[in-house]
């Protein structure tokens, strides 16, 4: 996309977020659902296909362009982005990167239009950070596989049209080598969706267990057509996903700073606005500095990614710093609000709970530390 068109798209999205979505935030939190007209508006704006090439009906943005839109999306409740986030990221990118031509042609246009919601089914009751230990089993029977197992905390599971499913096809190969990626249609007999999880925050974004009981999936639905490549496919999409989430953290931090600054300028104590107090100014300054640092890191890593560099370490650095950063910014925003910050009528209370998830999914902060350190050691060994 040329720079002028990207800027117009960004400004249109900014206006839509601030005029249409921000006023709905409290309603979403109370009702735990996003209105159908908002989903339709997202589809009309092309948001389901941000990262999907134009030949499949998407906007075809590269990662450096994508994050500029995601910075804007972070300004409002994360639940809105979650509605189409799996189509943009882990739900579509595995098919785009490793899928067969037939798989791409069948699914990418429908994902780009929002007709189908994709859901990434990796995590299990006993497999989270240790994703290579998954137990969901896919057993070959003729031209089909029979899948049995349970997936947990699966984003958009109640709304999914397809699952990008990771299952073990070779029980004799421990770890990542025995894992295969499948495209599984949600309406396939034998699939049961559990009750939506009750979460700390991010109401309106739904996760649930997905139970596979003798689910028959055609062998043609293996992503890329080869067994044992599933974990590699998952790892390929992580760098992009981690930078996407990092950009969300920056957008959320910007909103929190906006709320904290506005409150500090209006709230008076001891005869003056609390924004005049140096200790309040210090909290505002720390938040602005950290948000700026995270934005700069993400832009640099995204440019390197687009240039074809391996940015696994840089993406982990961004995810680690940005997700921890927005937690600190949220804490300061509540502190600046004082007692009001603990009340649900103020946005900072909700954001304080919402942003806590960023330090957990797409790899916990501790996993990011391990990725960073292991890359450092490999580089040191030459």
């Amino acid at each position: 996309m040329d720079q002028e068109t990207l800027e117009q798209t960004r400004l249109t999205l900014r206006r839509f977020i601030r005029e249409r979505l921000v006023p709905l935030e409290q309603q979403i939190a109370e009702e735990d659902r996003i209105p159908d007209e908002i989903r339709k508006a997202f589809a009309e704006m092309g948001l389901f296909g941000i990262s999907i090439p134009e030949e499949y009906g998407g906007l075809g943005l590269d990662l450096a362009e994508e994050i500029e839109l995601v910075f804007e999306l972070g300004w409002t409740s994360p639940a809105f982005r979650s509605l189409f986030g799996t189509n943009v990221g882990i739900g579509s990118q595995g098919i785009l990167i490793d899928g067969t031509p037939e798989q791409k042609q069948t699914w990418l246009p429908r994902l780009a239009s929002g007709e189908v919601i994709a859901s990434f089914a990796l995590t299990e009751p006993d497999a989270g950070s240790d994703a290579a230990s998954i137990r969901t089993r896919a057993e070959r029977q003729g031209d089909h596989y029979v899948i049995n197992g349970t997936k947990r905390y699966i984003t958009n599971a109640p709304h999914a049209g397809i699952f990008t499913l990771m299952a073990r096809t070779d029980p004799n190969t421990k770890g990542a080598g025995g894992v295969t990626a499948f495209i599984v249609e949600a309406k396939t007999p034998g699939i049961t969706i559990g009750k939506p999880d009750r979460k700390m925050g991010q109401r309106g974004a739904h996760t649930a267990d997905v139970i596979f009981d003798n689910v028959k999936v055609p062998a043609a639905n293996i992503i890329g057509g080869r067994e044992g490549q599933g974990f590699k496919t998952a790892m390929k999409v992580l760098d992009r996903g981690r930078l996407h989430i990092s950009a969300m953290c920056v957008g959320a931090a910007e909103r929190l700073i906006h709320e904290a600054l506005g409150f500090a300028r209006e709230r008076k104590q001891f005869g003056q606005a609390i924004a005049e107090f140096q200790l309040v100014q210090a909290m505002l300054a720390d938040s602005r500095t950290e948000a700026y640092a995270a934005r700069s890191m993400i832009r640099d890593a995204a440019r390197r990614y687009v240039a074809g560099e391996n940015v696994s370490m840089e993406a982990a650095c961004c995810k680690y710093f940005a997700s921890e950063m927005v937690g600190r910014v949220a804490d300061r925003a509540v502190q600046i609000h004082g007692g009001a910050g603990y009340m649900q009528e103020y946005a900072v209370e909700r954001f304080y709970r919402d942003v806590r998830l960023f330090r957990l999914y797409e790899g916990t902060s501790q996993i990011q530390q391990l990725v960073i350190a292991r890359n450092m050691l490999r580089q040191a060994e030459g």
Side-chain angles (χ1 to χ4, degrees):
M1 184 178 289
D2 66 79
Q3 198 59 40
E4 184 179 347
T5 304
L6 178 64
E7 183 63 10
Q8 289 175 350
T9 302
R10 186 186 69 80
L11 292 175
T12 299
L13 180 59
R14 169 179 282 202
R15 187 164 57 249
F16 179 78
I17 287 168
R18 301 187 187 204
E19 294 178 2
R20 293 281 305 278
L21 301 189
V22 170
L24 287 174
E25 288 173 350
Q26 194 58 36
Q27 176 187 327
I28 302 304
E30 291 171 359
E31 297 180 0
D32 193 23
R33 63 177 297 273
I34 295 172
D36 290 340
E37 61 265 25
I38 296 300
R39 174 177 172 168
K40 291 175 183 175
F42 286 160
E44 290 170 1
M45 295 172 71
L47 296 181
F48 284 92
I50 288 174
S51 60
I52 296 173
E54 292 182 59
E55 64 186 287
Y56 300 111
L59 295 182
L61 301 189
D62 65 32
L63 183 57
E65 296 167 334
E66 178 183 326
I67 63 166
E68 297 301 323
L69 299 189
V70 181
F71 287 145
E72 299 294 337
L73 288 164
W75 184 270
T76 190
S77 294
F80 289 115
R81 183 217 63 99
S82 187
L83 185 63
F84 58 83
T86 45
N87 280 34
V88 171
I90 51 181
S92 68
Q93 291 303 298
I95 298 172
L96 181 61
I97 293 171
D98 282 344
T100 65
E102 293 77 16
Q103 290 166 351
K104 294 177 184 180
Q105 200 61 54
T106 299
W107 295 111
L108 291 180
R110 299 172 70 186
L111 293 173
S113 69
E115 175 194 343
V116 171
I117 298 291
S119 194
F120 187 71
L122 173 63
T123 301
E124 296 182 1
D126 294 318
S129 295
D130 182 15
S133 68
I134 65 172
R135 296 181 181 177
T136 295
R137 181 82 170 90
E139 185 177 354
R140 182 87 187 229
Q141 293 185 6
D143 60 355
H144 283 74
Y145 285 80
V146 177
I147 298 176
N148 286 281
T150 297
K151 298 295 183 177
R152 178 146 293 173
Y153 309 139
I154 304 305
T155 301
N156 281 335
H159 316 293
I162 60 170
F163 294 100
T164 301
L165 171 74
M166 299 294 159
R168 189 167 297 283
T169 47
D170 184 356
N172 299 316
T173 301
K174 303 301 180 185
V179 176
T180 299
F182 293 86
I183 300 169
V184 183
E185 295 191 54
K187 63 184 179 183
T188 307
I191 294 178
T192 303
I193 309 298
K195 291 182 179 179
D197 298 316
R198 299 178 64 186
K199 308 186 302 299
M200 176 191 293
Q202 299 209 15
R203 289 176 61 79
H206 300 141
T207 67
D209 284 3
V210 185
I211 300 96
F212 297 84
D213 182 12
N214 290 323
V215 176
K216 291 183 66 176
V217 177
N221 284 29
I222 290 178
I223 295 179
R226 292 174 56 202
E227 283 191 7
Q229 302 298 304
F231 200 73
K232 291 180 181 178
T233 296
M235 294 304 102
K236 287 177 184 178
V237 306
L238 277 181
D239 290 345
R240 186 172 190 132
R242 285 171 176 169
L243 289 170
H244 181 110
I245 294 299
S246 299
M248 277 293 294
C249 293
V250 169
E254 296 287 356
R255 171 68 182 281
L256 284 157
I257 292 167
H258 170 81
E259 296 289 339
L261 181 59
F263 185 87
R265 293 178 64 213
E266 293 176 6
R267 174 68 166 159
K268 288 183 168 55
Q269 291 287 279
F270 306 105
Q272 60 183 316
I274 64 171
E276 300 300 321
F277 300 150
Q278 288 183 330
L279 292 179
V280 172
Q281 290 177 353
M283 288 190 281
L284 290 169
D286 285 350
S287 295
R288 165 54 58 219
T289 301
E290 290 193 89
Y292 176 57
R295 183 183 288 260
S296 300
M297 289 171 67
I298 296 161
R299 281 177 167 159
D300 175 70
R303 283 194 295 266
R304 292 171 182 267
Y305 180 95
V306 172
E309 294 183 34
N310 182 339
V311 297
S312 291
M313 183 171 72
E314 289 80 3
C317 287
C318 290
K319 169 63 165 60
Y320 176 44
F321 182 79
S323 62
E324 294 284 339
M325 173 275 296
V326 74
R328 293 189 293 268
V329 172
D331 191 70
R332 294 185 198 113
V334 170
Q335 196 70 14
I336 289 169
H337 277 68
Y342 204 67
M343 302 298 155
Q344 291 188 357
E345 64 194 271
Y346 288 88
V348 295
E349 184 274 340
R350 185 182 65 252
F351 268 90
Y352 183 85
R353 289 180 289 106
D354 285 350
V355 302
R356 186 60 182 84
L357 184 58
F358 292 138
R359 291 155 62 188
L360 300 175
Y361 65 4
E362 300 268 355
T364 64
S365 291
Q366 288 66 42
I367 290 295
Q368 308 308 325
Q369 289 174 305
L370 292 177
V371 171
I372 295 163
R374 287 171 182 172
N375 273 279
M376 291 171 68
L377 289 169
R378 274 196 294 270
Q379 290 177 5
E381 291 166 0

